[in-house]
Amino acid sequence: MAITRKNIVSLLIGFLLLGLLFNPIKEIPDVPHQSFLFTCTFLATVIGIAAFYPTKQFIHRLTIIDLLVILIAVGNIYFYPPTSNLFGLARFALIILYWSIRQTGGLNGTLLYTIILITTLVLSIIGYMQILHILPSHHPHFDITGPYGNPTIYAGILCLLLSAPIMVLSHFKSDAIHRYTYLVSFLTCIIALPILWLTHCRSAWIAVLAIISYSIYSRFSISFRWGISTLITIALLSYLLYQFKPASADGRILIWKVTAQMIKEKPFTGFGPHGFTANYMHFQSEYLKKEGSIYEKQLADNNHYVYNEPLRWTVEYGIAGLLLYIGILYCIFSYKKSEIQSLSAQAIYIAGLVWGLFSYPDQTFPILAVMTIALAEMSNRQRECVIKQLPHKYIFLKAVIFLAIAGQEALLIKIFQCHRELYQISHRTSSQSPEEIITSLSQLETAMKNETIFWPYYCHTLYKSQRDSILLDKITYWEQLYPSTHTYILKGDALQRTDKIKEAETAYWAAHFMVPSRQKARYKLALMYYQQKRISEANRLANEVLTEKVKVYGFETYEMHRELRRIFEDQLQ
C-alpha cells in the first residue's frame, strides 16, 4: 500500500472504527458512554494532521453536501462551543474529521470495507458472549449492550455497519467479486442479523429493513405494483413491531405528544441548544397534571430524549431547524451514484436517518462519527460542484486549520485531566474526608460547569455532608442542564432540612408530577406532613402509596412501604 494522504487517512479512519469495539480510555466517569468521545477526538486530531500530508493540493471545490455541512458546522460551533464541554469538543472533532476525509478525494474503499467487516463480526461475537455471560453487560437490566451503555446504541452501530455488506451482496453476484470477499460478507450478515434481533431494538430492525428495501430498489427497476406491495408490507410490519412491545411504543407516543406541546409554544425560535433536555420534564409534568390519562401517568418516566430527530430539530431550532433537516434529506436522497462505494456510504447514512426516527443519534456519538465518515465519502464521490474554486490563499487556510487542530488537542488534554480528576475524586471517598472531597470538587466547578455528569455527583456529595445552603445554590445548574425527579427530591430534602417547608413541598410535588408512577416524592411528602401534624394529608398519601399498583417494585420501594406501615400502622387499620 503506497504512502499517500488517501491511504494514511483511510488507515486512521479504520483505527477509529476499530475503536467502536472496546473502550480504550479507562479511569474516567461513565466509561461506556464517554470513552469513545475521547478516542474519536484524539484520532480526529491525528487524522487532521495526516490530511496535511503533501501528496497533492488541498481540495477547494464545494459540493451541495459541503455547503450543508458548513452551515451545520457553523451552528455547532456557535451553539455547542468546543470550550463548553466534552461533547462540544467532540462535535468540533467531527468537523475536523469531515474536512480531513474530504482532502483525500476518496478513501481507500477496499481497506475500509475490510475493517467494517472485521468490526461488525467482532461486535456480533461480543454480543453472543454477553448472552452466554462470558463477557459482562454494561447495563444491569440488559444482557446485550456490546461495549456501550445500552442495547439501543449497540444495535444502532450494528445496523449502520451492516448496511455496507448488504449493499455489496445485493449489487454483486458471487462471481463478480473476489470469492473470499463475497463469502465473508455473507457470513458477516448471517452472524450479525440474529444478534441484532436479540437486542429487541425495533429502531435498528426498521433501519435494516429500510436498507434491504433500498438496496433492492437501487439494484433493480421497480414496478408500481411492487412499490405498493412494499408499502403494505411496511405497514403490516409496523403494526407487528408495535404489538411486540406496545407499552414502549406508547411511551414514545407520549413523548411525541408532549414534544408537540413544546413546539406549539415556540414554533419559530425553538428552545435553543439543549432546549429539549432542559425543558421536556417540565412540559411532561404540566401535560400529565392537566390532561394525561391514568395509562399515560403509568407510562411516564424520567426522559431526556425525543426519539425522533425531525422533532428534536424543530423543538430546539424551530422552523429553521426543520427546514435544515429537510435539506439533509434532500441531499441524501437526491444523491444518484451507481458505484458501490458511493451506494454503501449513502446506505450507511440512510440507516442512521431511519434509526434516528425512533432513537437519539444526536446523543449517541459513535453513530454521529460513522454518519460523518459516510457523509464525507459521499461528498468525495459527488462530481457535481456548487463552487469549483474557492477564492482564498492556501497558506492562510492551512494556518487556520492547523491552529484549529492544535487548539482541539490542547482542549482535549485539559478536559481529559478534569474528567480523570473527577474519577479519582469519586474513588477517594474512603481515604479523604468529606470536606476535602468537596474542596476538590469545587476546584473543578468552573471547568466542568457544563458537564451533565458533574452536577449530580457534586450535589449528592453536598447532600450527604449536609451542606444544604451550598447544595441549594449548586443544584440550580443540575436543574438547568438535566432536570429529573431525582433533582427535585434532593432539592426538597435540602429545603426541608433548612426549614423551608413550603418550598420543599413545592419541590416534592414537582418531582411527583414529572413521573406520577414513582412513589418516592409522595413518600417524602407523607413523612413531612406527618411531622408538620397535617395528619389527614399524610394518611391520604401513605394509603395511596401502599395500595396502588407499583410500576417497578425494588428494594427501595420495600423500604418505603415498611417505613410507612410502621409510622401509620394505627391510622391505616
Side-chain angles (χ1 to χ4, degrees):
M1 187 172 68
I3 302 177
T4 62
R5 181 192 301 170
K6 173 180 178 176
N7 289 335
I8 293 172
V9 171
S10 298
L11 185 62
L12 291 170
I13 294 292
F15 288 148
L16 191 152
L17 292 176
L18 291 172
L20 296 168
L21 299 174
F22 59 98
N23 299 306
I25 308 298
K26 308 294 184 183
E27 297 189 353
I28 56 172
D30 195 8
V31 169
H33 286 101
Q34 301 213 117
S35 178
F36 188 75
L37 274 77
F38 283 108
T39 303
C40 183
T41 305
F42 171 73
L43 285 174
T45 303
V46 178
I47 292 167
I49 295 171
F52 281 89
Y53 191 84
T55 54
K56 59 181 178 180
Q57 288 284 341
F58 277 8
I59 293 175
H60 302 292
R61 62 182 185 85
L62 294 181
T63 66
I64 185 67
I65 294 176
D66 292 330
L67 293 180
L68 194 65
V69 169
I70 289 170
L71 185 59
I72 295 172
V74 171
N76 264 333
I77 294 171
Y78 179 77
F79 290 122
Y80 307 94
T83 55
S84 60
N85 57 18
L86 173 59
F87 208 83
L89 179 62
R91 282 174 174 271
F92 183 76
L94 292 182
I95 300 171
I96 299 296
L97 183 65
Y98 180 90
W99 173 83
S100 304
I101 295 171
R102 286 289 287 117
Q103 297 315 305
T104 65
L107 295 171
N108 186 322
T110 303
L111 175 63
L112 276 186
Y113 185 65
T114 301
I115 293 175
I116 285 173
L117 292 178
I118 293 171
T119 305
T120 308
L121 282 169
V122 176
L123 275 177
S124 303
I125 292 169
I126 290 172
Y128 287 115
M129 293 178 76
Q130 287 178 331
I131 287 179
L132 297 172
H133 302 292
I134 297 172
L135 289 178
S137 165
H138 294 288
H139 196 289
H141 302 304
F142 300 104
D143 290 330
I144 308 173
T145 62
Y148 314 109
N150 63 61
T152 303
I153 302 174
Y154 173 68
I157 290 293
L158 268 182
C159 77
L160 262 67
L161 295 179
L162 269 172
S163 301
I166 287 172
M167 292 301 289
V168 168
L169 291 172
S170 64
H171 281 72
F172 290 111
K173 296 181 179 179
S174 57
D175 57 352
I177 57 175
H178 197 284
R179 183 176 60 180
Y180 294 113
T181 303
Y182 191 90
L183 178 62
V184 173
S185 300
F186 182 76
L187 287 175
T188 299
C189 292
I190 292 298
I191 292 171
L193 287 172
I195 197 67
L196 186 65
W197 173 261
L198 291 172
T199 62
H200 296 165
C201 180
R202 291 156 301 165
S203 56
W205 298 347
I206 293 170
V208 167
L209 288 173
I211 293 306
I212 292 172
S213 300
Y214 179 73
S215 66
I216 295 171
Y217 170 79
S218 60
R219 176 69 176 83
F220 305 102
S221 57
I222 304 301
S223 65
F224 176 77
R225 185 177 298 176
W226 191 92
I228 294 297
S229 301
T230 302
L231 290 175
I232 294 172
T233 303
I234 290 172
L236 289 172
L237 287 172
S238 299
Y239 175 76
L240 291 173
L241 288 174
Y242 173 84
Q243 293 299 324
F244 180 73
K245 292 169 70 176
S248 174
D250 290 338
R252 296 194 184 184
I253 292 171
L254 169 63
I255 292 168
W256 296 339
K257 278 186 183 179
V258 177
T259 304
Q261 297 294 320
M262 296 178 71
I263 294 171
K264 185 178 178 181
E265 179 155 322
K266 291 187 177 182
F268 299 106
T269 59
F271 287 83
H274 305 296
F276 181 86
T277 302
N279 293 280
Y280 173 80
M281 290 302 295
H282 300 296
F283 275 83
Q284 177 172 284
S285 173
E286 286 300 311
Y287 173 82
L288 295 174
K289 199 186 322 182
K290 292 178 180 177
E291 54 185 294
S293 66
I294 295 173
Y295 179 58
E296 287 176 326
K297 290 176 181 178
Q298 189 70 14
L299 283 174
D301 208 337
N302 286 308
N303 173 65
H304 299 93
Y305 301 130
V306 188
Y307 293 98
N308 183 279
E309 277 299 280
L311 284 179
R312 184 191 68 81
W313 284 65
T314 309
V315 78
E316 293 193 341
Y317 306 109
I319 296 296
L322 179 60
L323 291 175
L324 187 57
Y325 186 85
I326 292 171
I328 294 172
L329 294 181
Y330 172 78
C331 286
I332 300 305
F333 287 101
S334 64
Y335 184 83
K336 303 296 182 184
K337 295 293 174 184
S338 57
E339 56 180 318
I340 191 61
Q341 196 160 332
S342 300
L343 286 170
S344 297
Q346 186 183 27
I348 289 171
Y349 203 89
I350 290 173
L353 289 174
V354 175
W355 185 80
L357 293 176
F358 310 97
S359 292
Y360 39 91
D362 180 67
Q363 297 297 320
T364 310
F365 195 73
I367 297 286
L368 291 179
V370 174
M371 291 178 71
T372 299
I373 295 168
L375 192 64
E377 188 61 7
M378 284 174 63
S379 186
N380 275 333
R381 302 285 165 177
Q382 191 170 31
R383 299 307 172 201
E384 301 83 4
C385 301
V386 177
I387 300 175
K388 293 185 178 180
Q389 185 67 35
L390 292 177
H392 52 53
K393 295 182 179 180
Y394 301 150
I395 295 177
F396 176 75
L397 176 64
K398 288 182 179 181
V400 170
I401 294 171
F402 188 81
L403 286 174
I405 293 170
Q408 174 182 289
E409 184 63 20
L411 283 172
L412 177 64
I413 293 170
K414 177 183 176 182
I415 291 175
F416 176 74
Q417 289 172 341
C418 291
H419 281 257
R420 174 63 66 86
E421 179 64 20
L422 179 61
Y423 174 85
Q424 292 173 343
I425 290 170
S426 67
H427 285 73
R428 289 202 298 259
T429 53
S430 58
S431 60
Q432 281 190 323
S433 66
E435 290 75 16
E436 290 175 319
I437 292 173
I438 290 171
T439 300
S440 299
L441 288 170
S442 66
Q443 291 171 353
L444 287 176
E445 184 179 331
T446 301
M448 301 193 75
K449 65 180 180 179
N450 294 312
E451 297 285 359
T452 303
I453 200 169
F454 174 74
W455 291 108
Y457 181 75
Y458 191 16
C459 289
H460 277 103
T461 304
L462 291 168
Y463 175 79
K464 291 174 184 176
S465 301
Q466 297 191 8
R467 301 291 188 88
D468 294 325
S469 59
I470 302 175
L471 170 60
L472 291 172
D473 178 49
K474 304 304 179 186
I475 205 169
T476 55
Y477 292 98
W478 187 4
E479 287 182 72
Q480 293 166 6
L481 288 173
Y482 208 77
S484 70
T485 55
H486 309 298
T487 317
Y488 287 96
I489 289 172
L490 200 70
K491 184 178 182 179
D493 288 349
L495 287 165
Q496 188 179 358
R497 289 196 309 213
T498 53
D499 294 325
K500 297 177 180 178
I501 303 302
K502 190 64 179 177
E503 292 91 334
E505 184 179 12
T506 302
Y508 287 139
W509 279 118
H512 165 65
F513 287 121
M514 282 180 171
V515 186
S517 63
R518 295 201 174 192
Q519 297 186 326
K520 191 170 185 179
R522 284 172 293 159
Y523 162 76
K524 296 277 186 177
L525 280 165
L527 296 183
M528 188 178 74
Y529 288 162
Y530 184 80
Q531 293 171 358
Q532 296 294 312
K533 307 301 182 184
R534 297 162 64 177
I535 303 301
S536 62
E537 293 171 277
N539 285 341
R540 179 180 62 81
L541 285 175
N543 184 65
E544 189 178 288
V545 168
L546 289 170
T547 57
E548 73 181 9
K549 181 181 178 181
V550 180
K551 185 176 180 179
V552 179
Y553 194 98
F555 183 72
E556 184 181 51
T557 307
Y558 167 77
E559 289 287 309
M560 289 191 298
H561 286 194
R562 186 177 67 172
E563 182 70 4
L564 289 177
R565 288 193 183 95
R566 184 186 66 81
I567 295 173
F568 295 92
E569 182 178 5
D570 296 332
Q571 292 90 334
L572 295 174
Q573 285 181 352

